[in-house]
Amino acid sequence: MTDDTLQIQPAPQPSGPVTDVAPSPHLADSGQTTRAMMVDVLVALIPVVCSALYFFRWHAVRQMAICLAVCLAAEAVFSAMRGRRPPLADGSAAVTGIILALSLPATAPWYAAAIGSLVAIGIGKSIFGGLGMNLFNPAMVGRAFVMISFAGALGAAGYQDPQSQIDIMTRATPLTAFQQSGVVASLADLFRGSTNGSLGETSALACLIGGLYLCLRRTAAWRIPASMLAAATVIALLDTGLSPHGWTVLHHLFGGALLFGAFFIATDPVSSPLTHRGQMIFGAGIGAWVMLIRIFSGYPEGVMFAVLLMNGFTPLINRWTIPTPFGGRLNR
Amino acid sequence: MSWFGSRSGGRGTFARGIHPPANKQFSSGLPIEVVDSPERVVLPLQQNVGGPCTPVVKARQKVARDELIGKGEAFVSSALHAPVAGTAERATMITLANGRHMQAIAIHAEGPQVEGQDLWDDIFGGHWPKDCVGIYDPQQIHEAILDAGIVGLGGAAFPTHVKINPNTRKPIHTLVVNGCECEPYLTADDQLMRQAPDAIIAGAFLAGYAVGAERIVIGVEDNKPEAIASLRAASGRTGIEVAVLKTKYPQGSEKHLIKAVVDREVPLGGLPADVGVAIGNVGTMAAVARAVVRSRPLTHRVVCVTGAGVVRPKNLLVPMGISVGELIDWCGGLTADAARIVSGGPMMGFAVADRATPVTKGTSGITVLVKSDLEIEASGPCVRCGRCVDVCPMGLVPTKLAQAARTGNLSLARRHNILACFECGACAYSCPAKIPLVQWIRAGKALAARHQGR
Ligand code: SF4
Ligand code: SF4
């Protein structure tokens, strides 16, 4: 080509509205934001919070107030230390706080709740680089820390407070009662939630309502609770089939933290796998571990350990379950 | 309306995908208006995927309407013709909507031009023979397409003569015609199907005959009932089927349309011919009919000018080379809150910086978005929710692709088949953290391609 072809035409821009340029896609689903997801989780927790308030009264208020306050404060402080504007706006610290509070016994001392919250945000999340970067479920990291540090106050025996004004708090948790003395709780109590236990776990009904809401809204990946409950059911069937002892499959499902864990803890997106197949493996793994811990270990309940364990496997599961793309794999 | 049955093989849809608001109401059902012939058209010498064409006119040379002004040299390149009569200007460099700089020939219009209803009749009107077997042989059809400079009018602008080619070694059993127009806002193809079904059917028949297809299926999304009815009425006894497909983005992607219609997956890195399918857009088929039956080149196309940012959205018949600004002015100009001019639809279109940017053969629409359309929250960290995985029509893990791009991790990118991404934007649309996934993936693809070349 000749030289005169290289001249650039000046752009005659008529006056009028200023338009910008940006790469495609030019639209985004405005209804879907991280904050909206977190708000959805908080909405789904309403029935659980209500049941906790109904059965444990001011113990529940106290626990939630402490955890919420410390989690929010810790989040603000840690993100300021890392030179980020406090991302409290995304609501994730509030979710961690409430879930941690609901996973503690009513009897837990104030410092256990506070330290648990601090550890949840500090070690569970900020150390990894904040929201989205953590490997483990922050609330469960906090809970595991205080459970090990204050084994007396938070162990199975710690749930019981013989002096309490609230009747259910004077009793052992259904799982402990069964493990230690073979007492089988009534299914109606387990379903309604009028038993001792961690604040949020006692009412199967409340967990189911909130959990189904989360799944229907697609905020939670339904495959995780579904596969977790399926795996737990299978093992429970084997267990009760091999040695009938009155603690039925439904007792296994409605008792302890299985439902609360399935819908609210295992479904934490950050620490669970991305792919559908991965989510099934992850859920099934948790369900299996919970049942193995319940049946074969000295602990009456194992949701927390099972979740943390499978969280550790999440990166591997993601790697194992890379989906086959449309049209098959490229021949490399 | 039901998903079509056993005859077609496909299930009328594909896995995953998204349902963005259609926003077709701006221009849906508005009859195609013929734009007045402009004073000047600017014709980039590369309108298509593939090689550029070589100019065959000199500066100040008189050109007649339909005269050849650029010749395609490479196999994957196409010819260019004058949409108006006038004088050729010196070749200039221009920037296209996709950001590429290239040479262009401008033609200053002179003398009387064919306009208005006459132009419509000339291009789409009149009688279209729908059974031309025996009149034209496949090679003749292929050459007519080549000479007419036809490229895919759906947006990709791949030279049609390469696809509609009787000489391929791979046997073709089905010609799939794309009438999906799955991008939000756009209604040009919809309107063309309503108003010029005969030309589309005639072209599909010719193209199908040329490639030796046993079946010809026009796939239309079920949100276009008028277009479906119009095509069905026009198809008459040709045996051409109209498949009603589920409305879902990106149904109009070649691979996903083929999946929906014949239930075959085009292998990664392969072509539709690998599964025995040839594919072309409805507008392309009308151009094929005109090229074969009337020996006329591709000089005009239907463009939809739409969105809340234009005063009077319209479907227009326009000459190639008219500027985006002129089309917007024809539609009453921009509204006060217009914020972005996009060439094409909002999911895969290119933002236009310069209103002098010309319409090319691949321009399916001009979508003008307003401020409220673009109010997107600041992006945050990935919360690994997996929504991008749930919607990716290619079955990829977009967040991992973005991570691979960000960290320059080529082996991660390859393990996740980064080159399979066709940048449809479904992932970024759905991401709650508003991560610019497609931008990252583009960067990652460039990186992967660079390393593959070594
Ligand atoms: S949709 Fe966005 S936030 Fe969710 S996993 Fe994908 S990239 Fe991460
Ligand atoms: S842009 Fe690529 S990664 Fe994202 S959804 Fe489309 S094909 Fe999948």
Side-chain angles (χ1 to χ4, degrees), chain A residues 251-272:
Chain A
H251 284 91
H252 269 305
L253 293 181
F254 290 171
L258 195 73
L259 287 177
F260 183 65
F263 288 115
F264 294 102
I265 299 176
T267 53
D268 166 37
V270 176
S271 53
S272 60

Side-chain angles (χ1 to χ4, degrees), chain B residues 388 391-396 398 401 420-428 438 441:
Chain B
C388 50
V391 299
C392 176
M394 292 306 291
L396 307 174
L401 300 178
C421 167
F422 68 111
E423 301 171 19
C424 71
C427 52
V438 182
I441 296 172

